[in-house]
C-alpha cells in the first residue's frame, strides 16, 4: 500500500510539473523550473541545466538555488566543461566522476549523478541539439525514478521547443530545404517575393507635384503715367470693366496749379506779342524784338499744352475690356508712385494659363508638351487637364524662400469650359518620361545620398 501511494504521488507530481512547464512564459522561467522544482518528483541536492552552442564547452543556463548563474565563476566553468564532455560522449542516465574529475567532484558535488537529455530542435530538416539536465544526490538512482524523470525530460524538451523555435538552415539552403519539404506557405512567400522583384522593373511614368496658380496669359499693365500720388481707385479687385472706363486717378492739384500758371504766362506772352506787332509798324527797332516775343508766346503755349495733357493723363482708363487684377484698394490710396510703376492689370478672364513653381529638389525631365493635371483647392476631386508650354532655364527664389523653376502650362479646352477664375490656387501634377519602378522609388534617396557623399 505504501508503494502504491508513493507511485500515485509521483504520478501527480509528474502531471503537475508538465502542466507548469507548458505554462512558462519564456525559456529562463522554464530553466529555473527544471533545476528547482523537479525535486518534487525525485529528491536531489544539486541540479544544473547545460545548453550547447555558447563557446566550446557550452554554458550553464540554470543552477539550483540560484536565480542567475555566474558564467565566469570557476565552478560554473568547470561544470560546463564536465557536462560538455558528457554531451560529446552521448552519455545519459546515471553517471559518476572520471579519474581526472575526482578532486573537484568530491569538493562540490554529491557522489551519484543523473543525466537527462533534452532534444531542443525539431526533426523537420534541422540537426537536433541536446541539452543536459544533470541531477546529483548522495543515494543511488532507482529505475522507477529514472523512468519518471525521463518522461518529465520529454515534457521539458517539448515546452522548450515551443518557447524557442527550432533552428532552420539559413540563406539559400533554407529556401531549398523548405521547398523540398513542400511547405505551401513558403512557396507562396517565395512567389510573392519574386513578383515584388519583377514589379520593380515595370516601367512607370515619373510624376511630381508642385504648387500652381491660374494666371492671365497676356494681361495689360496699368502704369503710372507720371510721378505723383494715387488719389482715387475707382474699381474693385476682379471687377469687370469696359474699354475707356475710369480705373484710378492721381492727385492733380499740383498739376492744375502749374497749368494755371502756364495759362497766365501764355496770356502775358500774347499781350507782349501784340504790342510788338503794333510797334513794328512805326518803329523799325521793334521789328528786332518781334521774333523774341513770338518765341516766348510759343513756349508758353507749349507749357500750357503739356500741363493740360498731364492733367488728362492723371485719369487712368482701361484700354481694353476685361477684369482688373490688384490687391486691396486701401493699399494704393495716398501712396506715391514713380513714373511707370504698375498699379493694376486688366486681363481677359477667358485667356488664362497655369503658373507652376517646380521645386529644385523635385525637378524631373519633362518632355515637350508633357501632360499636366491641376487639382484646385476649391475642387480637388475634379482635376483640370493641361499641356506643358515651357520650363524656366534656371531656378528663382519663391515667396517662401525656396528655389523653384517657373513652369507654364496651357489649359485644355475641357478645362477652359469650366471657366477657372484667375487667382485660384492648387497643386499641379506633372508627368515625365517612363522609368523602372525601382528608379522611380529610389530617385530622391539616391539624390540625397549623392549630396551626402559629395559625388
Amino acid at each position: 500500500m505504501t508503494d502504491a501511494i508513493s507511485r500515485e504521488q509521483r504520478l501527480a507530481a509528474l502531471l503537475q510539473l508538465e502542466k507548469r512547464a507548458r505554462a512558462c512564459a519564456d525559456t529562463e522561467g522554464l530553466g529555473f523550473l527544471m533545476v528547482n522544482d523537479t525535486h518534487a518528483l525525485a529528491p536531489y541536492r544539486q541540479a544544473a541545466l547545460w545548453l550547447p552552442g555558447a563557446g566550446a564547452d557550452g554554458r550553464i543556463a540554470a543552477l539550483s538555488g540560484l536565480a542567475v548563474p555566474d558564467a565566469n565563476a570557476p565552478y560554473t566553468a568547470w561544470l560546463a566543461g564536465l557536462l560538455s564532455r558528457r554531451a560529446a560522449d552521448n552519455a545519459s542516465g546515471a553517471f559518476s566522476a572520471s579519474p581526472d574529475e575526482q578532486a573537484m567532484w568530491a569538493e562540490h558535488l554529491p557522489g551519484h549523478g543523473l543525466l537527462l537529455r533534452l532534444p531542443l530542435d525539431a526533426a523537420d530538416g534541422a540537426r537536433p541539439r541536446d541539452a543536459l539536465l544533470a541531477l546529483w544526490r548522495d543515494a543511488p538512482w532507482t529505475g522507477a525514478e529514472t523512468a519518471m524523470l525521463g518522461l518529465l525530460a520529454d515534457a521539458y524538451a517539448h515546452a522548450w521547443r515551443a518557447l524557442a523555435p527550432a533552428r532552420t538552415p539559413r540563406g539559400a539552403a533554407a529556401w531549398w530545404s523548405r521547398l523540398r519539404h513542400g511547405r505551401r506557405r513558403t512557396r507562396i512567400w517565395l512567389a510573392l517575393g519574386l513578383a515584388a522583384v519583377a514589379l520593380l522593373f515595370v516601367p512607370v511614368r515619373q510624376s511630381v507635384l508642385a504648387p500652381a496658380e491660374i494666371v492671365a496669359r497676356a494681361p495689360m499693365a496699368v502704369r503710372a503715367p507720371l510721378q505723383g500720388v494715387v488719389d482715387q481707385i475707382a474699381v474693385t479687385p476682379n471687377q469687370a470693366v469696359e474699354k475707356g472706363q475710369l480705373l484710378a486717378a492721381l492727385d492733380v492739384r499740383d498739376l492744375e496749379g502749374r497749368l494755371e500758371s502756364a495759362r497766365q504766362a501764355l496770356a502775358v506772352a500774347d499781350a507782349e506779342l501784340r504790342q510788338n506787332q503794333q510797334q513794328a509798324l512805326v518803329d523799325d527797332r521793334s521789328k528786332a524784338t518781334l521774333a523774341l516775343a513770338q518765341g516766348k508766346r510759343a513756349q508758353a503755349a507749349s507749357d500750357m499744352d503739356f500741363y493740360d495733357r498731364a492733367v488728362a493723363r492723371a485719369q487712368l482708363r482701361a484700354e481694353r475690356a476685361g477684369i482688373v487684377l490688384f490687391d486691396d484698394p486701401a493699399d494704393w490710396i495716398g501712396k506715391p508712385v514713380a513714373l511707370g510703376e504698375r498699379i493694376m492689370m486688366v486681363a481677359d478672364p477667358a485667356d488664362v494659363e497655369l503658373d507652376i513653381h517646380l521645386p529644385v529638389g523635385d525637378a524631373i525631365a519633362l518632355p515637350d508638351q508633357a501632360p499636366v493635371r491641376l487639382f484646385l483647392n476649391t475642387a480637388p476631386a475634379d482635376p483640370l487637364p493641361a499641356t506643358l508650354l515651357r520650363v524656366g532655364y534656371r531656378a528663382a527664389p519663391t515667396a517662401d524662400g525656396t528655389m523653384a523653376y517657373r513652369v507654364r502650362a496651357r489649359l485644355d479646352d475641357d478645362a477652359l469650359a469650366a471657366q477657372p477664375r484667375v487667382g485660384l490656387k492648387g497643386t499641379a501634377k506633372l508627368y515625365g518620361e517612363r522609368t523602372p519602378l525601382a528608379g522611380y522609388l529610389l530617385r530622391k534617396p539616391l539624390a540625397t545620398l549623392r549630396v551626402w557623399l559629395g559625388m
Side-chain angles (χ1 to χ4, degrees):
M1 179 65 67
T2 303
D3 293 341
I5 295 174
S6 177
R7 287 195 297 270
E8 291 176 357
Q9 291 175 345
R10 289 179 179 176
L11 181 59
L14 174 63
L15 296 176
Q16 182 65 22
L17 287 172
E18 290 182 351
K19 180 178 179 181
R20 292 178 59 190
R22 294 187 173 93
C24 289
D26 50 39
T27 55
E28 288 78 7
L30 179 58
F32 186 86
L33 174 72
M34 291 183 189
V35 298
N36 290 285
D37 294 355
T38 306
H39 190 277
L41 183 61
Y44 54 83
R45 281 178 52 191
Q46 294 187 31
L49 175 63
W50 176 86
L51 297 178
D57 293 335
R59 68 183 179 94
I60 300 299
L63 282 174
S64 58
L66 294 178
V68 178
D70 185 2
N72 298 318
Y75 167 71
T76 305
W78 172 81
L79 187 59
L82 182 147
L83 295 179
S84 175
R85 291 189 292 272
R86 296 301 188 278
D89 296 339
N90 291 323
S92 62
F95 72 107
S96 58
S98 61
D100 57 346
E101 298 169 347
Q102 286 289 348
M104 288 289 292
W105 185 295
E107 182 179 354
H108 297 287
L109 298 174
H112 298 276
L114 181 66
L115 283 180
L116 301 174
R117 304 190 75 87
L118 309 177
L120 299 186
D121 288 332
D124 54 348
R127 182 178 179 182
R129 297 179 306 156
D130 289 347
L132 296 180
L133 176 60
L135 309 176
W136 291 273
R137 69 181 185 182
D138 297 319
W141 296 92
T142 65
E145 291 174 330
T146 303
M148 297 291 282
L149 289 172
L151 294 176
L152 181 59
D154 290 340
Y156 283 159
H158 181 270
W160 189 282
R161 291 195 298 268
L163 294 174
R167 291 186 305 171
T168 56
R170 297 181 179 179
W175 292 105
W176 287 113
S177 175
R178 293 174 181 176
L179 289 175
R180 184 173 65 253
H181 288 84
R183 288 188 176 182
R184 181 179 180 184
R185 181 178 299 176
T186 302
R187 293 197 299 270
I188 292 176
W189 281 109
L190 178 59
L192 291 177
L194 294 176
V197 173
L199 187 63
L200 294 177
F201 295 92
V202 175
V204 296
R205 172 165 285 181
Q206 297 186 81
S207 62
V208 64
L209 298 176
E213 181 181 2
I214 300 293
V215 297
R217 188 184 66 84
M220 185 199 70
V222 179
R223 303 179 182 275
L226 46 87
Q227 184 176 0
V229 177
V230 178
D231 182 58
Q232 177 188 7
I233 298 293
V235 292
T236 58
N238 296 328
Q239 177 181 336
V241 296
E242 300 295 334
K243 183 177 180 180
Q245 182 175 341
L246 178 64
L247 303 178
L250 301 181
D251 188 354
V252 295
R253 284 174 293 182
D254 182 59
L255 291 176
E256 289 176 344
R258 295 185 182 185
L259 177 59
E260 184 62 26
S261 297
R263 287 173 179 170
Q264 295 296 332
L266 179 59
V268 172
D270 282 338
E272 290 179 353
L273 178 60
R274 286 193 300 270
Q275 183 180 2
N276 286 338
Q277 287 175 345
Q278 292 174 359
Q279 290 179 354
L281 296 175
V282 295
D283 187 2
D284 292 336
R285 289 179 300 178
S286 298
K287 293 181 179 180
T289 60
L290 181 60
L292 180 60
Q294 289 176 344
K296 289 183 178 180
R297 196 272 175 191
Q299 182 169 355
S302 177
D303 289 342
M304 188 189 71
D305 181 66
F306 172 78
Y307 288 117
D308 186 53
R309 285 187 285 109
V311 171
R313 288 201 310 272
Q315 304 289 321
L316 281 67
R317 299 184 179 275
E319 298 181 8
R320 57 178 289 187
I323 59 173
V324 288
L325 305 176
F326 67 105
D327 295 330
D328 189 359
D331 295 339
W332 287 100
I333 297 177
K335 178 181 178 181
V337 292
L339 175 64
E341 183 176 352
R342 188 180 70 184
I343 300 176
M344 62 183 66
M345 294 188 299
V346 178
D348 184 357
D351 189 11
V352 295
E353 284 184 348
L354 191 59
D355 186 23
I356 306 170
H357 293 275
L358 179 59
V360 173
D362 296 333
I364 60 174
L366 296 172
D368 293 339
Q369 297 185 348
V372 180
R373 300 182 72 189
L374 173 63
F375 298 85
L376 291 174
N377 295 335
T378 57
D382 299 321
L384 302 179
T387 303
L388 181 69
L389 290 178
R390 60 185 180 276
V391 180
Y393 75 97
R394 67 176 180 180
T398 60
D400 57 1
T402 60
M403 300 296 291
Y405 293 99
R406 196 78 174 268
V407 180
R408 282 296 182 107
R410 179 185 64 254
L411 292 172
D412 295 348
D413 294 338
D414 295 341
L416 293 175
Q419 296 182 350
R421 181 176 60 83
V422 175
L424 291 179
K425 295 188 177 184
T427 301
K429 187 172 185 179
L430 299 91
Y431 295 90
E433 299 176 348
R434 291 189 176 274
T435 184
L437 180 60
Y440 178 80
L441 297 177
L442 298 177
R443 178 178 61 88
K444 295 192 70 173
L446 290 177
T448 304
L449 181 63
R450 185 178 66 249
V451 173
W452 285 354
L453 298 179
M455 299 174 58

